[in-house]
Amino acid sequence: MNTYDFYKKSADYILDKINYMPEIGLILGSALGSLSEEISDQTIIDYKDIPNFLISTVESHAGKLILGKLREKNVVCMSGRFHYYEGYEFEQLAIPIRVFKLLGVNTVILTNAAGAINKEFKPGDVMIIKDHIKLTGESPVRGKNIPELGPRFFDVSDMYTKSLRDLTKECANELNIDIKEGVYFYATGPQFETPAEIKAMRILGGDTVGMSTVTEAITAAHCSIKVLGLSLVTNMAAGVLEQPVTTEEVDETGEMASEKLKKLIGEIVEKIGNR
């Protein structure tokens, strides 16, 4: 896995099916797969058919790579992603972004469904990720470095690219969408967090919590790919309300808020690189 050719085999298989190189990558989280419907001139590839790729095991994730145009930009979209809780190692979770890099992607938009740690947030809110907290020791870029993809040691102080965050705020304002900004706290799952864990996360500065996105953002930073992270708040985290956290709540809120997120992402994609 720690060779350039390993990832190139995946990228070559995908590029052989299209006649362009995508410039923007999209990775869609739980209950957000309907965003892929906005892509025109679609070429759809099942993950299982891509050499050296992974297979999504989460029911709400389609497990398909979709290539085409969104607002006249060439894009590649993952409808469904991979997680540590599925049994994959952190190093394996670097695969999608490294393949994106070899496809020509220079910007990724990462979306996720997240629980609200911040008590001022509510289900249906969209939060721009300005930073994250990951207290697990593992890294997706652990192991032998591949210099063709990035340096051994790299800066992550602007991992969630400020210019993209600023652009998102402008787009949200134009669309009259209330937007939050905050810190995403990474948890490995698959169990939801305990009330005590959520209290600790709040003390440490977390605003939302989820089980994805961070490994992709770290890998993108290593590959010098710009990152925009968006959390859709689907529920209040454990202990905030006197009720249990359920998968059904996550999916229902995702479906209700997806139209708002579609419009926002479409506007962002249209304006990326145009200024």
Side-chain angles (χ1 to χ4, degrees):
M1 227 180 69
N2 282 333
T3 67
Y4 179 81
D5 287 342
F6 178 91
Y7 303 99
K8 188 175 184 297
K9 187 173 182 179
S10 303
D12 286 348
Y13 177 86
I14 296 164
L15 290 171
D16 191 51
K17 298 185 178 301
I18 54 177
N19 59 4
Y20 57 86
M21 296 185 76
E23 56 187 301
I24 298 172
L26 304 167
I27 299 183
L28 306 180
S30 299
L32 300 171
S34 64
L35 291 172
S36 64
E37 296 167 5
E38 301 293 299
I39 298 172
S40 62
D41 303 325
Q42 292 190 3
T43 297
I44 301 175
I45 308 173
D46 286 341
Y47 292 165
K48 62 181 176 58
D49 295 332
I50 304 171
N52 297 335
F53 216 64
L54 305 178
I55 299 173
S56 180
T57 66
V58 182
E59 285 187 13
S60 60
H61 291 230
K64 296 181 184 296
L65 195 70
I66 302 168
L67 299 108
K69 285 191 176 293
L70 182 60
R71 302 287 183 102
E72 300 307 311
K73 299 283 176 62
N74 292 326
V75 302
V76 54
C77 172
M78 284 180 62
S79 185
R81 55 149 58 91
F82 312 112
H83 310 78
Y84 178 72
Y85 66 72
E86 294 176 76
Y88 291 119
E89 300 298 333
F90 271 76
E91 294 89 337
Q92 290 177 286
L93 298 177
I95 290 174
I97 294 294
R98 286 178 165 174
V99 172
F100 275 17
K101 175 71 172 179
L102 298 184
L103 293 178
V105 168
N106 52 49
T107 301
V108 292
I109 299 175
L110 311 174
T111 74
N112 61 57
I117 298 171
N118 189 323
K119 294 181 180 180
E120 295 183 6
F121 290 5
K122 62 184 184 301
D125 282 347
V126 176
M127 186 194 84
I128 302 167
I129 301 175
K130 67 178 178 183
D131 206 344
H132 75 239
I133 299 173
K134 181 184 79 70
L135 297 184
T136 59
E138 301 88 346
S139 170
V141 293
R142 173 180 174 266
K144 181 182 176 183
N145 188 54
I146 304 173
E148 297 95 333
L149 296 176
R152 169 78 288 182
F153 302 104
F154 54 102
D155 179 59
V156 293
S157 56
D158 190 35
M159 184 175 343
Y160 299 94
T161 312
K162 186 178 185 302
S163 60
L164 292 176
R165 290 189 278 126
D166 291 342
L167 173 61
T168 302
K169 292 172 193 174
E170 292 174 17
C171 292
N173 184 57
E174 290 172 9
L175 295 170
N176 199 29
I177 294 173
D178 180 41
I179 198 91
K180 311 294 186 186
E181 188 173 31
V183 174
Y184 179 82
F185 203 110
Y186 174 72
T188 58
Q191 74 284 348
F192 292 114
E193 302 72 38
T194 69
E197 287 170 336
I198 293 300
K199 183 177 180 181
M201 291 174 185
R202 186 180 299 116
I203 291 170
L204 289 172
D207 293 293
T208 61
V209 60
M211 306 171 191
S212 67
T213 303
V214 166
T215 56
E216 298 149 355
I218 292 170
T219 308
H222 177 253
C223 293
S224 299
I225 295 175
K226 295 178 181 178
V227 177
L228 172 65
L230 297 172
S231 285
L232 173 60
V233 176
T234 52
N235 59 281
M236 303 306 291
V240 178
L241 303 176
E242 292 298 320
Q243 62 187 47
V245 179
T246 67
T247 304
E248 290 75 21
E249 180 184 15
V250 171
D251 291 342
E252 287 171 10
T253 305
E255 288 173 13
M256 287 189 293
S258 65
E259 202 60 38
K260 173 169 63 175
L261 209 50
K262 282 181 187 177
K263 291 179 181 177
L264 179 60
I265 290 176
E267 197 72 14
I268 294 165
V269 167
E270 183 174 330
K271 293 186 176 180
I272 285 176
N274 290 350
R275 306 188 307 172

